[in-house]
Amino acid sequence: MRVLLVEDEERLAQLIKDGLAGEGFAVDVAHDGRDGLWLATENPYDVIVLDVMLPRMNGYTVCARLRDAGNWTPIMMLTAKDGVYDEAEALDTGADDYLAKPFSYVVLLARLRALVRRGGRERPVSITVGDLVIDPAGIRCHRGETEISLTPKEFAVLHGLARRAGEVVSKSELLAQAWDFSYDGDPNIVEVYISALRRKIDQPFGRTSLVTVRGAGYRLEAV
């Protein structure tokens, strides 16, 4: 799942990013409201974590502008202000949830997963490709009745393919889905994860659902 984090406290932003990355999220970070609005407008995200007190444009305005533009990506607002009127203003401008600082990281993670479950208006709770079932919110995968253990990054790559099942997904598109914009390593890392996925979701079941389309990318098929 791809997350946009808009938070001006750089240390807190890094802590949240590192924690979410460890859970398999690809996280892009902006440190002011204008940059956050631009990223949210130009890129597809599963959920946005948006601080209220931001330089250049506050979180209420960012949220309102996104909603006015027809962008209904689930938004969780973070703020040091803790009062019923602050919460009401966040929700009235179009936010889906509100979390006051300081907060528990465990609670943040649980609420983000809940937002993805109920907030992805164009996305089912689970994605089914043949007898392969991918649960984005729970970060779980099954082939028939058998649960398949995947690392967070393996799951992120599989999720990127499952969202476009039957279509060819390029290596660069998978990098954008499963890694963040700051990744500058070898793009062939995708091939490593594709091989690992085949060993887990296909080979034990005698399937060939994960297909390489030479020169174009990869396709997940219902078989």
Side-chain angles (χ1 to χ4, degrees), residues 10-191:
E10 295 189 13
R11 182 173 177 274
L12 176 60
Q14 190 63 50
L15 287 171
I16 295 173
K17 178 179 178 178
D18 290 345
L20 293 178
E23 298 290 335
F25 293 81
V27 185
D28 295 329
V29 179
H31 295 300
D32 66 65
R34 289 192 183 276
D35 286 348
L37 179 61
W38 180 82
L39 283 171
T41 302
E42 295 296 317
N43 301 281
Y45 292 100
D46 295 285
V47 66
I48 298 170
V49 181
L50 179 63
D51 191 25
V52 169
M53 304 301 290
L54 293 167
R56 300 180 71 198
M57 182 184 294
N58 68 45
Y60 297 134
T61 303
V62 173
C63 182
R65 291 195 181 182
L66 288 172
R67 296 314 190 218
D68 288 344
N71 185 326
W72 293 99
T73 302
I75 294 175
M76 171 181 288
M77 282 196 166
L78 302 178
T79 182
K81 301 166 71 177
D82 186 12
V84 292
Y85 292 107
D86 301 312
E87 182 174 357
E89 185 172 0
L91 298 175
D92 284 346
T93 56
D96 299 274
D97 201 356
Y98 177 99
L99 195 58
K101 301 175 183 176
F103 52 82
S104 160
Y105 174 74
V106 173
V107 172
L108 172 66
L109 182 60
R111 288 193 177 186
L112 286 179
R113 286 178 172 160
L115 280 181
V116 172
R117 283 197 298 269
R118 72 174 186 259
R121 290 176 170 84
E122 299 178 357
R123 227 172 278 121
V125 173
S126 296
I127 303 172
T128 302
V129 185
D131 65 348
L132 186 68
V133 180
I134 297 96
D135 173 13
I139 313 184
R140 301 176 69 184
C141 174
H142 290 80
R143 171 78 79 181
E145 298 297 319
T146 304
E147 183 165 2
I148 301 169
S149 177
L150 300 176
T151 68
K153 194 63 71 178
E154 289 168 351
F155 187 90
V157 173
L158 179 61
H159 183 218
L161 292 163
R163 290 173 72 171
R164 294 173 54 189
E167 301 177 21
V168 176
V169 184
S170 70
K171 188 181 294 184
S172 61
E173 288 172 321
L174 286 173
L175 282 169
Q177 166 75 18
W179 285 262
D180 57 61
F181 285 138
S182 63
Y183 179 76
D184 60 357
D186 187 349
N188 290 326
I189 188 68
V190 173
E191 297 174 10

Side-chain angles (χ1 to χ4, degrees), residues 206-221:
R207 307 296 177 85
T208 54
S209 64
L210 188 43
V211 177
T212 298
V213 181
R214 193 172 300 278
Y218 307 93
R219 183 173 60 241
L220 185 64
E221 299 180 343

